[in-house]
Amino acid sequence: MAQERPEGRLEVQVVAGRNIPRRSRFGRGDSLVALTLGTSTKQTQVDKKGGSAPRWNDRLSFLVSGLGKTQLHITAVEIEGSVNQKKIGSCVVDLTKVFVEEEVD
């Protein structure tokens, strides 16, 4: 089965968070953001001790091919230790305007 040829690239700049609720009992939280488009998931670097105002300033890039990839799922998580992650919050961004209307922001 042939792999789908990319139709384009979606770049997302994850800059910072504001007023992030505290999830850990001790210290300032380490956090990251995970982005999912279709079956592809990418994540920012961990902001160590970013607390309620983490800064990532990471640019994540997805190759886009095929239909059905009109939603970008965004999840912010706090990292505790080497394996424990607590969800801070999440949202879904509708990408219809980007792909159908070729809107760029």
Side-chain angles (χ1 to χ4, degrees):
M1 185 169 140
Q3 194 173 25
E4 288 185 61
R5 188 173 148 213
E7 297 171 9
R9 181 176 63 206
L10 173 68
E11 289 190 358
V12 180
Q13 181 79 28
V14 181
V15 179
R18 292 185 292 204
N19 302 318
I20 303 295
R22 186 175 173 173
R23 298 282 184 216
S24 64
R25 293 183 193 196
F26 306 104
R28 299 177 71 179
D30 301 344
S31 58
L32 63 82
V33 174
L35 306 175
T36 303
L37 180 66
T39 59
S40 179
T41 299
K42 302 200 175 186
Q43 64 185 36
T44 63
Q45 297 294 317
V46 175
D47 180 3
K48 297 201 178 280
K49 300 184 182 182
S52 65
R55 295 196 56 81
W56 300 284
N57 205 26
D58 283 348
R59 183 178 300 255
L60 303 174
S61 182
F62 295 90
L63 291 178
V64 179
S65 59
L67 299 174
K69 296 179 181 164
T70 59
Q71 293 185 332
L72 179 67
H73 295 261
I74 303 172
T75 304
V77 296
E78 185 173 287
I79 310 295
E80 284 187 348
S82 59
V83 294
N84 192 16
Q85 295 185 1
K86 291 183 178 180
K87 182 177 174 181
I88 297 170
S90 64
C91 70
V92 177
V93 177
D94 182 5
L95 300 175
T96 304
K97 287 185 178 182
V98 174
F99 296 125
V100 174
E101 300 175 13
E102 297 181 11
E103 179 181 300
V104 179
D105 185 11

